[in-house]
Amino acid sequence: MENILELKTINELNQYSFFIPAYQRGYKWTPKEVEDLLNDINEFKPRLIGDTDEKTWYCLQPIVVKEISSLDGKTPEFEVIDGQQRLTTIFLILQYLNQDYVPEKRDKLFGLDYQTRQGTSDFLNSLDINNIVEENIDFYYINNAYQKINQWFDSKGDNFDKSDFRSKFKFHSKVIWYQSNEENPISIFTRINIGKIPLTNSELIKALFLNSSNFEKSKLEKLKLRQLEIATEWDQIEQSLQNDRLWYFISGNKISTNRIELIFDLMNEEGDKNDSYSTFRFFSKKFNSKTQEAVEENWKEIKDYYLRFNEWFNERDLYHKIGFLVCINAASIKTLYKKSSTLTKTEFRQFLDSQIKDNLKNISLEDLQYGDKNVKWVLLLYNILTMLNSEKDNSYFPFDIFKNENWDIEHITSVKDAIPDKNRGDWVQDASAFIDDTKEGGKELKERANKCDVTNDDEFKSLFEDIVSHFNSDINDEDINDLSNLTLLDSQTNRGYKNAVFPLKRKTIINRDKSGVFIPICTKNVFLKYFSEYPPKISFWTQDDRVKYEADLFKVLNNYITA
């Protein structure tokens, strides 16, 4: 017998009896949690769905149960595996609302029976707002919750429409009912509560797709085969999305499980940020007809999303341009998917180019300075386009690394206004090893470095500035904050060498590149002197290097950004 997944109104729960086993912890909801639930229900406004008579509902989180033999043989009884805190709170609210009626007119509420907490059932059925409870910790929390319910309603005043609240709570509030048929309920409880199989939207939606009531019953073998096919395809899509290169190309969400849920969220046209189960409710409506056609139609749409993403991922031009737009939040993956569905491939490529241009249209490369937030995105695009423009380079920019690490805008050559506070001795020692004796004042500078008292602020400051000037002596332009002296580098590398001189930066980057650390291609080109005349001045970032680097920047970005 298969598991059952459906929505039940609060009122429908009253036909059942629930058994709370010993492995469940005691009731621990705080007055704040109770108040939040009451506020949510009160603020919810049911509205008609389309042209139907059905109204929207407030969705509570799942209650996981397993049917057991009832004591009276008549009332269905369920062991509560997960959700007993919610269930108890629901009972308390119903019990409070019942007090408005004489006993014979009150609703018959669902039963709650506890395996080990003797007397709890009697206590629940004899609640009184005047009770003071201290001796039993479970009764204490239950009583506090009930007192909060009373206080909440009292605070609403005489004009509060309690009948409207009662109606919304009983008939327009629903729980996600997950009825398991596994033999061992403790095993289910353990898996749920250590987070291995959380009841996420994707798990709940999967149950909808595999529910046998949505398939033709006449052909049992065919039904089982189709269920197996969908389950297998589901796992294949999830497995594919576990590839971080694909995942971070389309998303920035750092989740490691149930990544297929992204597709469901994209399909959800009624997204509600305040409802964690909004996507499940959206799909639940889609399956109202309980037909195999609904299953096939919705499953095809899910596969279409996945196949489109996979197509983009495998086409290098699309991968880089879509990845860039998503990375800088210039376009959502949902918008791009919808747009691609209405355009030819050529038109879609043109659309991507126009989106990139539009998002960078107010940027002037000549005016960009260190500290401008656009520098990061301009240099990112520069790296991406450099990779794309190489006919022999089939590599892909790693958006997964870019999104999971922190990135800095780094000065290629040192700046004088970033004087080290710590490790001054190491800084001087590292820099002095690269001082050029053949340059004017080079020997004297080395001698000063060897003798410098780094604890003397004035002496160190003077030496620091002179060393920086030594390594910047081949640069004519004093403005070292413009784009021609900036590059993109991961924070760990950048902050590891603390405004080092150019040759030490170069050495560090080469070593990290050798060790497998991702260094953006244009950053690598800068420090490996790919823009320089041969033979290059390895230890110095020269004016010639800078001019040629800037020329390459402008050339590569020319089709997207004006100089």
Side-chain angles (χ1 to χ4, degrees):
M1 189 175 178
E2 66 181 23
N3 298 333
I4 296 172
L5 175 72
E6 57 189 347
L7 292 163
K8 288 187 181 292
T9 64
I10 300 300
N11 194 57
E12 287 179 289
L13 300 180
N14 286 331
Q15 63 187 302
Y16 306 130
S17 182
F18 297 97
F19 173 72
I20 312 299
Y23 57 78
Q24 293 277 5
R25 66 176 183 147
Y27 184 76
K28 289 293 187 293
W29 264 36
T30 64
K32 178 66 168 62
E33 289 172 298
V34 175
E35 183 179 16
D36 287 344
L37 175 60
L38 291 167
N39 286 334
D40 286 346
I41 294 165
N42 186 46
E43 291 166 8
F44 174 71
K45 307 295 182 189
R47 63 182 188 278
L48 287 172
I49 301 174
D51 298 327
T52 69
D53 293 330
E54 186 180 355
K55 289 186 177 181
T56 55
W57 62 89
Y58 177 79
C59 192
L60 285 86
Q61 292 191 3
I63 290 176
V64 184
V65 296
K66 175 180 173 60
E67 189 167 14
I68 56 178
S69 300
S70 60
L71 295 174
D72 61 10
K74 297 177 182 179
T75 305
E77 186 164 5
F78 296 91
E79 179 175 332
V80 178
I81 300 170
D82 191 58
Q84 69 103 350
Q85 304 279 327
R86 284 183 290 281
L87 198 59
T88 302
T89 307
I90 289 168
F91 180 92
L92 294 176
I93 297 171
L94 290 173
Q95 180 78 328
Y96 177 84
L97 293 171
N98 245 353
Q99 305 313 304
D100 289 344
Y101 301 94
V102 295
E104 56 269 22
K105 294 290 185 179
R106 292 173 183 169
D107 290 335
K108 178 183 178 299
L109 306 184
F110 56 80
L112 281 172
D113 187 31
Y114 295 78
Q115 184 176 10
T116 56
R117 298 174 182 91
Q118 300 299 320
T120 304
S121 295
D122 291 337
F123 181 77
L124 285 168
N125 288 299
S126 60
L127 283 164
D128 191 305
I129 58 173
N130 297 313
N131 282 351
I132 297 176
V133 179
E134 293 180 353
E135 72 279 2
N136 182 303
I137 189 65
D138 288 339
F139 293 180
Y140 172 79
Y141 277 103
I142 289 172
N143 187 67
N144 279 357
Y146 193 70
Q147 296 287 353
K148 170 52 69 175
I149 294 168
N150 176 67
Q151 292 166 13
W152 187 87
F153 279 101
D154 280 352
S155 71
K156 295 302 175 185
D158 295 336
N159 295 324
F160 180 69
D161 191 344
K162 192 184 285 189
S163 295
D164 179 62
F165 181 93
R166 181 184 287 107
S167 177
K168 281 195 292 188
F169 186 57
K170 289 174 60 179
F171 304 107
H172 296 291
S173 299
K174 298 183 181 183
V175 297
I176 298 170
W177 177 270
Y178 190 94
Q179 184 175 331
S180 173
N181 286 289
E182 282 193 40
E183 289 297 321
N184 187 352
I186 297 179
S187 173
I188 305 169
F189 173 80
T190 303
R191 295 203 310 275
I192 289 172
N193 283 279
I194 63 174
K196 288 185 178 177
I197 54 165
L199 279 176
T200 61
N201 281 292
S202 59
E203 291 288 339
L204 295 167
I205 291 167
K206 187 174 186 178
L208 287 176
F209 272 104
L210 301 181
N211 191 336
S212 62
S213 65
N214 293 324
F215 295 86
E216 295 176 11
K217 303 294 189 299
S218 57
K219 301 175 181 177
L220 185 59
E221 288 304 316
K222 190 174 180 180
L223 180 155
K224 290 181 178 178
L225 179 61
R226 187 61 186 127
Q227 285 178 315
L228 179 61
E229 287 173 347
I230 290 177
T232 302
E233 289 171 344
W234 181 295
D235 291 342
Q236 288 171 345
I237 293 173
E238 177 62 35
Q239 186 64 35
S240 182
L241 293 174
Q242 287 299 313
N243 176 356
D244 282 348
R245 286 182 58 239
L246 169 58
W247 177 249
Y248 287 104
F249 154 59
I250 58 176
S251 172
N253 193 339
K254 296 180 181 180
I255 60 170
S256 58
T257 60
N258 296 313
R259 287 179 170 177
I260 194 173
E261 194 166 310
L262 170 69
I263 297 177
F264 305 145
D265 289 338
L266 293 174
M267 291 172 63
N268 181 8
E269 299 293 344
E270 302 173 2
D272 182 351
K273 293 180 180 179
N274 297 318
D275 179 4
S276 59
Y277 287 99
S278 167
T279 299
F280 165 69
R281 295 201 292 115
F282 172 77
F283 274 88
S284 182
K285 292 177 198 172
K286 279 177 167 281
F287 284 85
N288 277 344
S289 62
K290 294 190 178 294
T291 63
Q292 187 162 346
E293 286 75 20
V295 172
E296 301 295 350
E297 180 182 333
N298 286 290
W299 186 240
K300 180 182 181 301
E301 187 175 355
I302 289 167
K303 290 200 297 182
D304 285 345
Y305 268 90
Y306 167 70
L307 292 171
R308 185 75 52 81
F309 295 157
N310 221 34
E311 176 191 343
W312 292 347
F313 179 68
N314 289 303
E315 288 200 31
R316 209 161 159 266
D317 185 66
L318 293 177
Y319 168 86
H320 285 96
K321 290 175 181 177
I322 291 171
F324 174 74
L325 287 169
V326 172
C327 191
I328 69 171
N329 295 317
S332 69
I333 203 73
K334 185 171 186 174
T335 299
L336 294 175
Y337 179 85
K338 287 187 173 181
K339 201 70 180 177
S340 69
S341 301
T342 63
L343 300 174
T344 65
K345 276 193 175 183
T346 300
E347 290 171 339
F348 184 57
R349 291 176 191 275
Q350 292 171 345
F351 170 76
L352 294 177
D353 285 335
S354 68
Q355 286 293 104
I356 295 173
K357 291 176 185 177
D358 286 347
N359 278 277
L360 302 173
K361 64 184 178 182
N362 295 321
I363 295 174
S364 168
L365 295 180
E366 290 183 345
D367 295 335
L368 281 179
Q369 290 280 309
Y370 181 80
D372 188 323
K373 64 180 181 180
N374 290 313
V375 171
K376 182 177 181 179
W377 306 131
V378 167
L379 290 176
L380 173 61
L381 181 61
Y382 173 48
N383 278 274
I384 287 171
L385 293 177
T386 297
M387 295 177 73
L388 275 178
N389 291 344
S390 175
E391 295 179 1
K392 295 182 180 180
D393 186 359
N394 291 318
S395 60
Y396 280 59
F397 185 85
F399 288 106
D400 55 324
I401 295 176
F402 190 78
K403 291 180 180 180
N404 280 293
E405 294 182 2
N406 295 318
W407 294 82
D408 291 337
I409 301 305
E410 163 67 344
H411 285 94
I412 297 171
T413 192
S414 305
V415 290
K416 290 183 179 179
D417 58 357
I419 301 175
D421 291 325
K422 300 177 181 178
N423 303 318
R424 289 178 171 182
D426 292 339
W427 189 94
V428 171
Q429 184 178 357
D430 290 337
S432 63
F434 295 100
I435 292 174
D436 187 349
D437 294 350
T438 64
K439 277 185 172 286
E440 183 180 351
K443 289 183 179 179
E444 293 80 1
L445 192 59
K446 264 197 172 181
E447 290 175 4
R448 286 174 57 197
N450 292 332
K451 299 176 181 178
C452 179
D453 178 6
V454 296
T455 62
N456 184 312
D457 289 345
D458 291 336
E459 185 178 347
F460 176 75
K461 181 176 183 292
S462 175
L463 177 66
F464 171 82
E465 290 176 349
D466 288 345
I467 288 177
V468 171
S469 294
H470 175 79
F471 284 101
N472 293 353
S473 59
D474 289 317
I475 296 176
N476 301 330
D477 188 353
E478 288 299 319
D479 183 7
I480 58 174
N481 285 317
D482 69 14
L483 200 58
S484 65
N485 191 46
L486 303 176
T487 193
L488 190 64
L489 193 62
D490 69 283
S491 299
Q492 188 175 355
T493 301
N494 182 28
R495 296 168 192 179
Y497 53 46
K498 300 287 184 185
N499 194 32
V501 293
F502 177 83
L504 183 60
K505 292 181 181 183
R506 181 177 186 275
K507 179 182 177 182
T508 303
I509 285 171
I510 290 173
N511 287 338
R512 286 180 68 79
D513 184 48
K514 283 180 180 178
S515 69
V517 174
F518 169 66
I519 307 293
I521 185 171
C522 297
T523 301
K524 196 158 35 175
N525 289 348
V526 161
F527 285 98
L528 293 182
K529 295 285 210 165
Y530 283 9
F531 300 109
S532 309
E533 291 290 343
Y534 191 83
K537 292 185 176 180
I538 293 299
S539 294
F540 293 83
W541 180 242
T542 69
Q543 185 67 20
D544 183 60
D545 296 333
R546 189 174 176 182
V547 168
K548 288 177 177 174
Y549 172 54
E550 184 178 59
D552 188 69
L553 262 164
F554 285 21
K555 177 184 175 183
V556 171
L557 295 170
N558 180 57
N559 290 330
Y560 296 93
I561 309 175
T562 58

